[in-house]
Amino acid sequence: MRFHVNIDHIATLRNARGTPYPDPVEGARLCERAGAAGITAHLREDRRHIRDDDVERLRQSVTTLLNLEMAATDEMLEIAARVRPDVITLVPERREERTTEGGLDVLRARRQIEKIAGMCSQRGIKLSLFIEADAEQIRESHALGATQIELHTGVYCLADAGARGPELEKIVSGAAYAQGLGLEVAAGHGLTRDNVTAIACIAAIRELNIGHAVISDAVFMGIEPAVQAFHATIRAARAEIGARRGP
């Protein structure tokens, strides 16, 4: 399973005081050194954490894989076409939200996604869509030419013990359906070391994008140990899959 670290909240801490530190680019370097398979950064319309210069510098410095999360707008299309990240993940975005609140409605955003998909095809950029584990959304993502979907795990993470099982089953079913269509499947949002194991045990999911919890852990243990601790939890879950399958 690929483990990608979202570094947005290093920039959040920097921007709180308007200082040049902590530098998200340096954070990305340390995450890679600790074993992250990729770096994710969300360039929001309001630039509340990651800024344009951060994206430019990340493109120059990231040695694994750079995943740029962005809204499906003309402004972001132009930036992505110039920067050429390895992956673009389209996400919904509202100014008043604290963080992304759900999956992208692919049907409503179809026209804009088509424009971005065309640019990605021309420039050899992988296109991923951040969506709910809904069959209609998954089918439309496939029809629009996405290589990958990232399933929103936020509802699962926030659910109480009684509701978590049904939410997990939705993710399991959605991941299997997407895999059957030939899509790569990632997952993310709200995942912590306490709740990630059940998601990491879903065989169809091949990538996790985790940010806030990693940076939160890093406050207490340092960023490299935080990445390594998450990675160890994920590896243990994947080993459990192998054990169930047998030799």
Side-chain angles (χ1 to χ4, degrees):
M1 174 172 276
R2 301 185 298 268
F3 173 38
H4 295 179
V5 178
N6 184 311
I7 57 164
D8 292 351
H9 295 295
I10 300 175
T12 299
L13 184 58
R14 174 196 63 189
N15 297 352
R17 292 289 296 269
T19 59
Y21 62 86
D23 183 5
V25 176
E26 174 64 10
R29 185 186 70 81
L30 294 173
C31 289
E32 288 185 308
R33 193 168 76 178
I39 300 298
T40 296
H42 182 178
L43 184 65
R44 293 184 65 105
E45 179 189 21
D46 60 12
R47 309 311 199 261
R48 68 175 64 168
H49 36 59
I50 294 296
R51 299 170 179 165
D52 298 62
D53 177 63
D54 296 328
V55 176
E56 299 280 358
R57 292 188 301 125
L58 285 166
R59 177 64 293 176
Q60 295 299 315
S61 64
V62 167
T63 60
T64 52
L65 177 147
L66 178 60
N67 173 25
L68 178 63
E69 291 185 343
M70 66 184 209
T73 66
D74 288 340
E75 179 197 20
M76 292 299 158
L77 186 154
E78 292 176 7
I79 292 170
R82 183 182 73 252
V83 174
R84 295 197 179 193
D86 301 295
V87 182
I88 289 172
T89 300
L90 297 182
V91 300
E93 194 172 299
R94 297 189 307 119
R95 277 185 178 268
E96 61 271 26
E97 67 189 1
R98 288 188 178 184
T99 185
T100 305
E101 296 175 341
L104 179 67
D105 188 337
V106 177
L107 285 79
R108 292 184 63 181
R110 181 184 182 96
R111 179 175 297 181
Q112 198 65 16
I113 293 172
E114 287 177 333
K115 290 171 62 175
I116 294 171
M119 183 275 291
C120 287
S121 178
Q122 292 172 1
R123 286 167 170 74
I125 300 171
K126 180 179 178 179
L127 178 62
S128 179
L129 304 181
F130 181 79
I131 62 172
E132 300 294 332
D134 173 81
E136 189 174 19
Q137 296 289 333
I138 294 169
R139 283 195 301 272
E140 189 70 6
S141 298
H142 180 257
L144 285 167
T147 300
Q148 176 175 285
I149 59 166
E150 181 177 343
L151 296 178
H152 174 232
T153 55
V155 178
Y156 156 79
C157 293
L158 292 173
D160 58 30
R164 186 166 283 184
E167 292 300 328
L168 181 62
E169 185 53 41
K170 290 178 186 177
I171 296 169
V172 172
S173 298
Y177 181 59
Q179 185 183 51
L181 293 176
L183 288 164
E184 293 182 38
V185 185
H189 200 78
L191 295 171
T192 68
R193 281 188 291 137
D194 292 329
N195 63 32
V196 72
T197 294
I199 299 298
C201 280
I202 301 172
I205 295 177
R206 305 306 301 272
E207 175 185 306
L208 295 178
N209 284 280
I210 305 174
H212 185 263
V214 176
I215 305 309
S216 297
D217 285 351
V219 171
F220 298 103
M221 64 173 68
I223 194 163
E224 290 185 77
V227 171
Q228 290 163 354
F230 248 105
H231 209 175
T233 302
I234 293 166
R235 284 199 304 269
R238 298 307 275 190
E240 185 176 327
I241 295 175
R244 288 202 300 261
R245 288 175 174 168

